[in-house]
Amino acid sequence: MIDDPADAAWDRELNDLFLRIGHRFGRADLRRRMRDYVRALLGPVGRKNGWQLAEYAGHHTPDGLQRLLNGATWNADNVRDDLQIYVAEKLGEDSGVLILDDTGFVKKGITSAGVQRQYSDTAGRAENCQIGVFAAYATTRGRALVDRELYLPKSWTDDRQRCRAAKIPDERTFATKGELARAIVLRALASPLPIAWVTADSAYGQEWRFRRMLEEVSVGYVLAVPKSQHVPRFGRIDHLFTQAPDEAWEKRSCGDGAKGPRVYHWAAVQLPAIEDFDGETPTRQRWALARRSVTRPDEIAYYLGYAPVGTDIDQLVRVAGRRWAIEECFQAAKNECGLDQYEVRRYVGWMRHITLAMLAHAFLAATAAQAASKGGAETVPAPWFRSPWRKSAGSWQLAPPQGQAERFAFTR
């Protein structure tokens, strides 16, 4: 149960966050709507659609919040930059890991920006959906989403009239998910986020341009790759590890999961030295790794790594295990902050809603980290903000300011 001091501390921290980003909203009414929107995303709202968010915020209609997303003048990328500064301060560590992945948003119709029938990991099959490419930042203090891009299929970018109808900027041409991920990584590296490692699944790890970019900026990585991945001088990576002796496989934990330590058999081999030298001494080393299920030895996952010389295998294994943090971020942001419950069709509205939902999720992560540092609970539930709206007998009632007895009824 949230007591009054905890409630007050929650409000104080949230107001501090609003002060950080308030300058991005040029008018007082926009700042109020932004605060109402984020508070509603954090509130106990069953379905975080326009009407229910507006009712929770005390608005008679959702028009004001819809204008905040679709018509008002503010830049979601600027808020994204402030979000990264906030996460760096609250969760940042020198050993921070940036995680790349995409997630689907199932949608009806054909007018929502970027929507088409395509494979969605969320649904586990091809669906009519939008796909967002995201980055999460993870340390021992916590994890949060820090960047996003909407993937636009060629069916959209080749139809400029359709793009203009969805308010997609003319400069947004076709980019693969890998290209979007590279742009996200470069932005994150230019931000205050302290990043030592990058990890991602095989959809990104198999792209040599993605790996080479990380090597060029001297950032370590542990990236999943398909079993057919070619390893220079050794051929396919799965063939490389079929030759590994039994003693090369050792039980190691790649981090704690919901049911305790995630233990697998791991094998790792250093690959030939690359071009990163200090004089005649190599400074970084490439690796190949394999993760085998303890109970199902036929289930093997493969990785390519890049790390400073002297990095031990346990560190590489821990970085590989960090990849699950972004799945936890997706689940929490969707369940608790309405990441996927938007009712916008235009590109600008999508970027704005997603950014504000990420901001709400980052606040939850920062609050949990602060509580954990003080010996509190690992996660902190959101207190129910004292909204003036109460539902009774099928209608919403608006409580008047304290000291006034009159009540007003509002029915949709």
Side-chain angles (χ1 to χ4, degrees):
M1 182 174 179
I2 302 294
D3 55 18
D4 286 340
D7 200 345
W10 177 283
D11 272 328
R12 188 165 54 250
E13 289 292 327
L14 189 56
N15 284 330
D16 287 344
L17 177 57
F18 290 150
L19 287 175
R20 286 173 177 263
I21 66 172
H23 67 289
R24 303 299 189 182
F25 302 83
R27 302 197 316 267
D29 62 320
L30 288 184
R31 290 191 288 273
R32 285 195 297 270
R33 289 173 189 165
M34 176 272 294
R35 289 171 180 242
D36 288 346
Y37 196 79
V38 174
R39 283 182 177 273
L41 290 175
L42 288 166
V45 180
R47 176 69 182 172
K48 295 180 179 180
N49 56 32
W51 270 104
Q52 293 196 33
L53 291 176
E55 289 169 352
Y56 181 83
H59 296 198
H60 289 290
T61 71
D63 294 350
L65 298 184
Q66 288 295 325
R67 282 195 296 273
L68 173 72
L69 298 181
N70 293 313
T73 302
W74 60 282
N75 190 316
D77 286 346
N78 290 338
V79 177
R80 184 266 326 276
D81 294 344
D82 292 338
L83 164 64
Q84 293 180 346
I85 295 172
Y86 176 73
V87 171
E89 291 180 7
K90 300 296 184 179
L91 305 179
E93 291 178 344
D94 289 341
S95 59
V97 180
L98 192 73
I99 312 157
L100 282 299
D101 202 358
D102 51 76
T103 189
F105 303 89
V106 177
K107 292 293 168 185
K108 296 179 180 179
I110 61 172
T111 57
S112 296
V115 71
Q116 75 168 22
R117 186 169 180 81
Q118 52 195 325
Y119 182 80
S120 166
D121 283 341
T122 306
R125 59 183 181 274
E127 286 279 3
N128 197 62
C129 65
Q130 296 166 297
I131 299 292
V133 179
F134 287 80
Y137 180 75
T139 68
T140 60
R141 299 167 67 186
R143 57 192 71 86
L145 298 171
V146 293
D147 206 347
R148 72 289 174 263
E149 286 286 359
L150 179 62
Y151 171 68
L152 299 176
K154 285 186 177 180
S155 62
W156 277 83
T157 57
D158 289 347
D159 188 342
R160 298 318 301 180
Q161 184 175 353
R162 189 185 188 193
C163 285
R164 292 188 185 101
K167 301 299 181 183
I168 297 171
D170 287 340
E171 59 268 22
R172 271 301 308 267
T173 56
F174 177 73
T176 66
K177 295 169 190 172
E179 289 168 339
L180 296 176
R182 294 202 295 275
I184 287 173
V185 170
L186 291 175
R187 283 200 297 263
L189 293 175
S191 78
L193 291 166
I195 298 169
W197 299 92
V198 171
T199 188
D201 68 15
S202 60
Y204 301 93
Q206 67 183 334
E207 291 200 15
W208 69 268
R209 292 183 182 87
F210 187 59
R211 301 194 305 272
R212 188 56 189 157
M213 179 199 73
L214 295 173
E215 293 175 3
E216 288 173 349
V217 295
S218 298
V219 174
Y221 62 72
V222 181
L223 300 169
V225 294
K227 64 181 181 181
S228 59
Q229 179 68 45
H230 178 78
V231 178
R233 305 187 192 182
F234 295 100
R236 284 172 54 125
I237 194 169
D238 59 342
H239 294 169
L240 171 63
F241 282 99
T242 58
Q243 304 171 41
D246 290 342
E247 57 268 24
W249 296 89
E250 297 181 344
K251 275 189 179 181
R252 301 177 189 271
S253 170
C254 58
D256 291 339
K259 300 180 181 179
R262 296 192 297 264
V263 177
Y264 297 88
H265 283 128
W266 289 83
V269 59
Q270 290 187 7
L271 300 178
I274 55 177
E275 300 85 11
D276 294 336
F277 284 83
D278 181 7
E280 296 183 356
T281 305
T283 60
R284 292 184 176 266
Q285 183 74 49
R286 284 185 179 139
W287 290 80
L289 300 92
R291 186 198 75 207
R292 188 176 70 190
S293 170
V294 174
T295 57
R296 299 176 181 175
D298 291 338
E299 295 182 3
I300 304 177
Y302 302 95
Y303 301 83
L304 291 178
Y306 173 77
V309 169
T311 301
D312 61 29
I313 297 173
D314 284 330
Q315 177 65 27
L316 296 172
V317 167
R318 285 192 294 270
V319 174
R322 284 284 186 190
R323 196 186 70 78
W324 283 287
I326 196 168
E327 300 294 343
E328 295 165 351
C329 286
F330 287 148
Q331 182 178 2
K334 289 179 178 181
N335 292 344
E336 300 172 21
C337 304
L339 184 76
D340 60 342
Q341 296 177 29
Y342 52 87
E343 293 180 323
V344 293
R345 291 195 175 102
R346 294 175 176 178
Y347 176 87
V348 171
W350 188 91
M351 296 292 283
R352 289 176 172 183
H353 167 81
I354 294 295
T355 302
L356 293 178
M358 287 167 47
L359 187 76
H361 175 255
F363 170 74
L364 292 179
T367 304
Q370 185 179 44
S373 69
K374 294 179 180 179
E378 181 100 4
T379 57
V380 178
W384 286 30
F385 296 114
R386 294 184 176 89
S387 168
W389 290 97
R390 302 290 184 268
K391 195 168 188 179
S392 176
S395 68
W396 287 87
Q397 294 182 334
L398 179 61
Q402 188 173 3
Q404 298 181 20
E406 185 181 5
R407 295 184 68 86
F408 301 89
F410 171 74
T411 305
R412 211 178 352 156

